[in-house]
């Protein structure tokens, strides 16, 4: 069933009024099932990154669960929306299990509830995963509304090469011992790794990454915001880069640790692949060779096919 959005009350930036009109025109005729949780991505800094579908849904749901009610109320007002205080439900890392049950109760009554974190896509590094899991466990539907994500934003600007995918590590542990263990694992990870960090811990992270030597890292600071900064440099140069300008230590950080460069001598990957092909099926041999040597799987696969046809 299609649901028309209620008339918005413009108390925020008037520049969003046309966006709201466009949102209702573009998304108003779509289907919005009742008794569903809408997982809504919000901007990570630039308000203009709010999607039309997100604007429409946030204006028409029965309630909005959010990581910080004050922060979300400010966001809603900034985009020209107004929701009464009793329509906002606090759901954060300290009360997620309990608050999730309150949301489930609303969904079981047939209400539509949106969930937003303070910024970006919920349930990735921010709260929301327990809520979504509880929604599924109750036999209810979770509807994702994609949008801004610091993880994907950083990756898209890093220029990471290779076809091995990436690992999302998020925030490393705060305790030195646990952080050291995590860093040891990162040193052995050949794929790209996305990390998040807060300003008060960025120098500690830089010092830890410096142990990885010349492996490259892309630093994304204040992504999408006015003072956005993106730089790619060797890990062992990161502490000095941060120290050069105090401004570089401010803001939220998303970092991409580039894939480790292979140290195999020329022809070593061919030798490994030939040995494995003699004992294993082609796809398995290619997969293992890629993991051992760090070479792109597609290139190894084409090479194996060429040898088979010779």
């Amino acid at each position: 069933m299609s649901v028309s959005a209620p008339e918005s009350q413009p108390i925020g930036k008037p520049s969003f009024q046309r966006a709201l009109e466009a949102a209702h025109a573009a998304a108003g005729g779509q289907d919005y099932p009742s008794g569903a949780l809408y997982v809504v991505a919000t901007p990570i800094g630039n308000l203009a990154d709010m999607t039309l579908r997100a604007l429409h849904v946030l204006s028409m749901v029965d309630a909005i669960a959010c990581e910080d009610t004050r922060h979300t109320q400010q966001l809603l007002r900034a985009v020209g929306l107004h929701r009464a205080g009793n329509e906002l439900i606090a759901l954060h890392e300290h009360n997620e299990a309990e608050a999730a049950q309150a949301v489930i109760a609303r969904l079981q009554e047939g209400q539509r509830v949106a969930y937003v974190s303070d910024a970006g896509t919920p349930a990735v590094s921010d709260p929301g995963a327990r809520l979504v899991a509880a929604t599924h466990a109750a036999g209810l539907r979770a509807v994702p509304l994609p949008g801004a994500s610091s993880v994907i934003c950083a990756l898209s600007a890093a220029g990471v090469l290779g076809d091995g995918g990436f690992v999302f590590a998020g925030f490393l542990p705060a305790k030195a011992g646990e952080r050291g263990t995590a860093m040891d694992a990162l040193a052995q990870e050949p794929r790209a790794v996305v990390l998040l960090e807060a300003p008060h811990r960025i120098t500690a992270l830089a010092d830890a990454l410096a142990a990885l030597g010349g492996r490259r890292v892309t630093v994304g600071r204040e992504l999408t915001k006015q003072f956005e900064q993106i730089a790619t440099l060797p890990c062992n140069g990161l502490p000095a880069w941060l120290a050069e300008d105090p401004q570089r230590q401010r803001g939220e950080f998303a970092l991409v640790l580039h894939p480790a460069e292979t140290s195999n001598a020329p022809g070593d990957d061919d030798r490994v692949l030939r040995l494995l092909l003699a004992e294993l099926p082609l796809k398995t041999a290619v997969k293992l060779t890629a993991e051992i040597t760090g070479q792109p799987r597609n290139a190894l696969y084409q090479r194996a096919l060429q040898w088979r046809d010779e």
Side-chain angles (χ1 to χ4, degrees):
M1 163 175 98
S2 297
V3 178
S4 298
E7 186 174 349
S8 60
Q9 300 180 36
I11 61 174
K13 295 184 178 181
S15 59
F16 269 88
Q17 290 313 298
R18 289 188 179 181
L20 287 168
E21 294 170 4
H24 301 327
Q30 298 177 12
D31 183 48
Y32 298 94
S34 58
L37 173 70
Y38 294 83
V39 186
V40 182
T42 55
I44 59 175
N46 193 318
L47 281 178
D49 290 335
M50 179 77 85
T51 70
L52 295 180
R53 192 165 165 231
L55 286 171
H56 178 74
V57 166
L58 291 177
S59 72
M60 53 77 66
V61 292
D62 297 292
I64 301 173
C66 43
E67 187 176 0
D68 185 325
T69 56
R70 292 171 298 179
H71 180 92
T72 297
Q73 191 69 276
Q74 290 175 356
L75 172 66
L76 293 171
R77 289 171 177 167
V79 298
L81 295 175
H82 172 72
R83 303 301 301 247
N86 61 7
E87 295 175 344
L88 301 182
I89 305 167
L91 189 150
H92 45 75
E93 62 176 329
H94 302 297
N95 77 338
E96 187 169 358
E98 179 182 354
Q101 295 310 309
V103 172
I104 297 300
R106 285 176 176 261
L107 299 180
Q108 290 173 334
E109 293 173 358
Q111 293 188 29
R112 299 172 179 85
V113 180
Y115 179 69
V116 298
S117 61
D118 285 349
T121 302
V124 177
S125 183
D126 295 331
R130 287 189 178 89
L131 172 60
V132 173
T135 300
H136 291 314
L140 300 166
R141 183 175 175 183
V143 181
L145 271 68
S149 165
S150 60
V151 175
I152 301 305
C153 186
L155 273 172
S156 69
V160 171
L161 302 177
D163 60 356
F166 71 94
V167 175
F168 174 58
F171 292 91
L172 294 187
K175 295 182 178 179
E178 295 176 358
R179 179 181 288 251
T181 300
M183 285 304 307
D184 290 341
L186 289 184
Q188 302 301 317
E189 174 56 62
R191 294 168 293 180
V193 180
V194 181
L195 300 163
L196 303 178
E197 195 52 277
H200 67 281
R201 299 198 326 186
I202 188 60
T203 55
L205 178 61
D207 291 340
L209 287 173
L212 300 182
R215 188 169 175 179
R216 293 192 304 159
V217 61
T218 294
V219 183
R221 186 181 73 85
E222 293 290 82
L223 292 172
T224 79
K225 301 178 184 178
Q226 181 179 358
F227 298 107
E228 175 184 86
Q229 190 171 22
I230 301 171
T232 298
L233 62 158
C235 285
N236 54 15
L238 184 55
W241 183 84
L242 288 172
E244 284 176 4
D245 183 352
Q247 293 296 326
R248 293 176 180 173
Q249 300 175 33
R250 297 183 177 182
E252 300 298 321
F253 293 83
L255 304 92
V256 180
L257 182 62
H258 288 236
E261 294 184 3
T262 113
S263 58
N264 294 335
D268 276 4
D269 50 322
D270 283 1
R271 180 173 177 275
V272 172
L273 181 56
R274 287 186 184 277
L275 288 172
L276 292 177
L277 283 171
E279 303 293 334
L280 300 169
L282 186 146
K283 288 186 177 180
T284 304
V286 166
K287 178 178 181 294
L288 290 175
T289 302
E291 293 176 354
I292 293 170
T293 67
Q295 294 297 314
R297 188 179 301 185
N298 288 344
L300 292 170
Y301 190 81
Q302 293 302 319
R303 200 177 308 165
L305 289 178
Q306 182 180 354
W307 292 343
R308 190 178 66 179
D309 295 335
E310 289 177 352

